[in-house]
């Protein structure tokens, strides 16, 4: 069937910010038309999906994820990661290059794209490394990587320590009109530390990661972006100091954008349990309550542009090594929207439209994507979201191979119920993960 009707869904009314009942017609993988919910459309010969009062949202976009393949398939595969993304309502995801081998050659970029094409259908956009093997010593072949399908350059997982190397990378990326995406961390300030330099570290006698370790690179790179004109995007902002610098950069016209993760909007180092559970260990680490509020305010005012998950699965054995020895990172696909909807929209701090924009149209705008909207002619990438039903976070139900989350047991609403990419259902609550349209 080339025609699909989604009946009895809810959409956001632009004038009021409230929801209104609508029907949506999809044609040949594209959005065709919206009809008022009181109309009775002719659905003969079409696939019909009854949204039953669920929100019809553009598919969520996550511009910072770790799919682990190639090299770390015991943590995640492209197949399991995209399945998890689909269950979380994400239809487009951008994967980081800190795999083994590192995504630093055209062949590795193509490997990721081919694996993604054979998976569930979620759109996968690979980043390529700034430096070979992410060692910070020699630039990769940016032009060849762009031609192979890379959408930007980052050494995520480590910061580029040498300023001249970063300036050269920015100048080269600018010549190709490609963005540089930066993991901001000064290694000299973080070696041997597992948590933020704050209350938890002091209580347990741990070396802490100071806020300035992130902000130093943010400030440096904003100056380098000003000098080169490149689009500079700051990964997983977590500190008040970084936010001040990003705000300054924007105010003087530097092409700087930024992202924040749900965990840095919801948790501080004061929330980490004394059990030293390594599912609370992430990089950047959880900061102070003051930093949390600064991140929320920066997102609200536009200093921070988008929300990402930094989905970072690890095996249970790795996370069992304890706070000091376990790897950094938590999973995020399947909890991101319910967490933020429950904690910010349901409490009245944000409108539903605000949250959706930061996870759909704003990432599309920042990175020049054609997705993130459901206007006629746009790709039919969407998710149906149950705004009312509540359930607890249960890692045993995840489709990701990772179970590493600090949110176990949280009771949340706003769970996705169905996800479509290009008009094809790739996951639904009733049927689980589905084959791509090519299979």
């Amino acid at each position: 069937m080339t025609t699909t009707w989604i009946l009895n869904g809810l959409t956001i009314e632009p004038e009021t910010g409230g929801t209104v009942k609508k029907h949506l017609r999809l044609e040949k993988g594209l959005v065709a038309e919206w009809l008022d919910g009181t109309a009775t459309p002719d659905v003969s010969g079409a696939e019909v999906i009854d949204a039953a009062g669920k929100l019809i949202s553009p598919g969520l976009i996550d511009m910072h994820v770790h799919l682990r393949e190639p090299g770390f398939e015991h943590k995640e595969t492209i197949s399991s990661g995209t399945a998890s993304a689909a269950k979380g309502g994400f239809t487009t995801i951008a994967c980081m290059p800190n795999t083994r081998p590192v995504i630093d050659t055209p062949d590795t970029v193509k490997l990721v794209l081919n694996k993604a094409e054979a998976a569930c259908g979620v759109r996968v956009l690979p980043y390529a490394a700034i430096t070979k093997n992410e060692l910070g010593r020699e630039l990769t072949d940016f032009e060849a990587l762009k031609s192979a399908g890379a959408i930007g350059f980052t050494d995520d997982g480590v910061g580029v320590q040498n300023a001249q190397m970063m300036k050269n990378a920015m100048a080269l990326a600018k010549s190709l009109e490609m963005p540089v995406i930066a993991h901001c961390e000064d290694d000299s300030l973080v070696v041997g530390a597992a948590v933020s330099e704050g209350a938890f570290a002091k209580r347990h006698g741990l070396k802490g990661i100071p806020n300035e370790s992130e902000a130093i690179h943010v400030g440096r790179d904003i100056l380098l972006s000003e000098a080169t004109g490149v689009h500079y995007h700051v990964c997983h902002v977590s500190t008040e100091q970084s936010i001040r610098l990003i705000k300054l950069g924007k105010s003087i016209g530097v092409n700087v954008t930024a992202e924040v993760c749900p965990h840095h909007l919801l948790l501080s180092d004061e929330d980490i349990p004394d059990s030293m559970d390594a599912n609370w260990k992430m990089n950047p680490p959880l900061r102070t309550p003051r930093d949390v509020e600064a991140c929320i305010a920066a997102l609200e005012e536009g200093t921070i542009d988008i929300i990402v998950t930094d989905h970072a699965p690890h095996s249970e054995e790795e996370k069992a090594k304890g706070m000091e020895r376990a790897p950094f990172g938590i999973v995020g696909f399947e909890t991101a929207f319910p967490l933020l909807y429950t904690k910010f929209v349901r409490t009245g701090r944000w409108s539903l439209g605000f949250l959706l924009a930061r996870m759909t149209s704003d990432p599309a705008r920042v990175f020049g994507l054609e997705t993130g909207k459901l206007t006629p002619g746009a790709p039919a990438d969407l998710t149906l979201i149950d705004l009312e039903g509540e359930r607890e976070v249960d890692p045993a139900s995840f489709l990701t191979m990772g179970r590493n989350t600090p949110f176990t047991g949280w009771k949340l609403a706003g769970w996705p119920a169905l996800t479509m990419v290009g008009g094809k259902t790739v996951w639904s609550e009733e049927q689980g993960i589905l084959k791509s349209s090519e299979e």
Side-chain angles (χ1 to χ4, degrees):
M1 294 181 184
T2 60
T3 302
T4 300
W5 277 100
I6 301 177
L7 305 179
N8 308 312
L10 298 177
T11 64
I12 298 172
E13 182 63 47
E15 288 77 17
T16 66
T19 56
V20 61
K21 184 178 174 183
K22 293 273 191 175
H23 308 306
L24 174 62
R25 179 169 65 89
L26 312 177
E27 199 76 42
K28 296 181 180 179
L30 303 176
V31 175
E33 66 172 329
W34 290 91
L35 288 184
D36 186 270
T38 60
T40 305
D42 178 5
V43 299
S44 56
E47 177 189 18
V48 177
I49 296 171
D50 185 1
K54 296 179 180 65
L55 179 74
I56 305 174
S57 167
L60 307 181
I61 298 172
D62 191 345
M63 297 304 298
H64 189 139
V65 316
H66 297 270
L67 297 180
R68 301 304 188 198
E69 189 177 8
F72 299 111
E73 288 84 357
H74 67 287
K75 301 174 187 277
E76 189 83 287
T77 64
I78 290 171
S79 179
S80 66
T82 54
S84 178
K87 187 178 179 183
F90 292 94
T91 55
T92 298
I93 59 177
C95 61
M96 291 296 172
N98 56 336
T99 52
R100 290 293 180 273
V102 170
I103 303 174
D104 61 0
T105 67
D107 285 346
T108 319
V109 172
K110 291 173 184 175
L111 171 69
V112 170
L113 290 171
N114 290 337
K115 292 269 189 178
E117 188 176 357
C120 71
V122 167
R123 303 180 196 272
V124 175
L125 310 175
Y127 292 116
I130 292 172
T131 64
K132 292 182 179 180
N133 290 314
E134 291 197 337
L135 294 175
R137 298 171 185 165
E138 183 180 357
L139 292 181
T140 56
D141 187 338
F142 282 22
E143 188 170 5
L145 290 164
K146 177 182 179 180
S147 297
I151 64 155
F153 303 103
T154 179
D155 273 6
D156 186 61
V158 292
V160 176
Q161 301 302 304
N162 184 284
Q164 185 64 60
M165 182 68 68
M166 186 57 125
K167 185 174 184 180
N168 292 345
M170 287 184 170
L172 182 53
K174 173 59 180 175
S175 73
L176 298 169
E177 290 302 319
M178 295 281 275
V180 167
I181 297 89
H183 175 115
C184 293
E185 188 171 44
D186 187 311
D187 286 353
S188 67
L189 294 171
V190 303
V191 174
V195 295
S196 184
E197 189 179 76
F200 182 85
K202 291 175 183 175
R203 188 163 67 249
H204 291 278
L206 299 174
K207 180 179 179 181
I209 301 173
N211 281 19
E212 55 268 24
S213 66
E214 174 181 292
I216 284 170
H217 271 204
V218 173
R220 178 200 73 177
D221 291 348
I222 286 172
L223 291 172
L224 297 178
S225 175
E226 182 183 26
T228 59
V230 77
H231 173 200
Y232 166 60
H233 183 77
V234 188
C235 289
H236 40 50
V237 173
S238 69
T239 74
E240 181 185 27
Q241 292 91 328
S242 297
I243 289 163
R244 290 202 307 264
L245 293 165
I246 294 164
K247 188 172 185 177
L248 174 61
K250 284 179 180 265
S251 74
I252 61 173
V254 177
N255 188 8
V256 54
T257 56
E259 65 188 37
V260 68
C261 305
H263 42 276
H264 291 127
L265 298 169
L266 294 164
L267 302 171
S268 77
D269 66 331
E270 295 183 7
D271 297 310
I272 304 173
D274 287 331
S275 65
M276 304 280 280
D277 181 355
N279 287 326
W280 293 73
K281 181 180 179 180
M282 58 210 71
N283 192 14
L286 298 177
R287 307 288 188 177
T288 69
R290 179 171 175 169
D291 291 305
V292 172
E293 188 54 42
C295 286
I296 296 169
L299 186 68
E300 291 171 346
E301 71 183 15
T303 299
I304 294 176
D305 301 84
I306 64 174
I307 296 169
V308 302
T309 67
D310 194 8
H311 175 79
H314 294 290
S315 70
E316 293 183 70
E317 293 76 16
E318 289 167 319
K319 277 296 189 178
K321 292 179 179 178
M323 186 66 80
E324 292 187 86
R325 295 179 57 236
F328 293 96
I330 64 171
V331 294
F333 283 143
E334 296 171 56
T335 56
F337 188 86
L339 281 167
L340 296 170
Y341 174 74
T342 302
K343 298 303 177 180
F344 291 103
V345 177
R346 273 197 151 191
T347 58
R349 177 149 186 175
W350 296 348
S351 70
L352 178 57
F354 174 87
L355 173 58
L356 287 173
R358 297 306 177 274
M359 300 183 77
T360 60
S361 57
D362 286 338
R365 169 185 55 80
V366 168
F367 287 94
L369 309 179
E370 63 175 6
T371 54
K373 58 191 175 185
L374 290 177
T375 53
D381 292 7
L382 61 88
T383 184
L384 302 185
I385 300 174
D386 181 357
L387 298 177
E388 301 302 327
E390 295 184 341
R391 65 174 183 264
E392 291 185 355
V393 175
D394 177 14
S397 71
F398 288 171
L399 293 186
T400 174
M401 291 167 62
R403 301 289 181 264
N404 46 311
T405 177
F407 298 112
T408 300
W410 285 39
K411 190 174 183 179
L412 306 173
W415 295 94
L418 180 145
T419 301
M420 302 182 81
V421 180
K424 173 73 175 180
T425 300
V426 297
W427 173 84
S428 71
E429 236 174 0
E430 291 75 21
Q431 296 176 274
I433 202 71
L434 302 172
K435 298 286 186 180
S436 71
S437 56
E438 289 78 24
E439 294 182 294

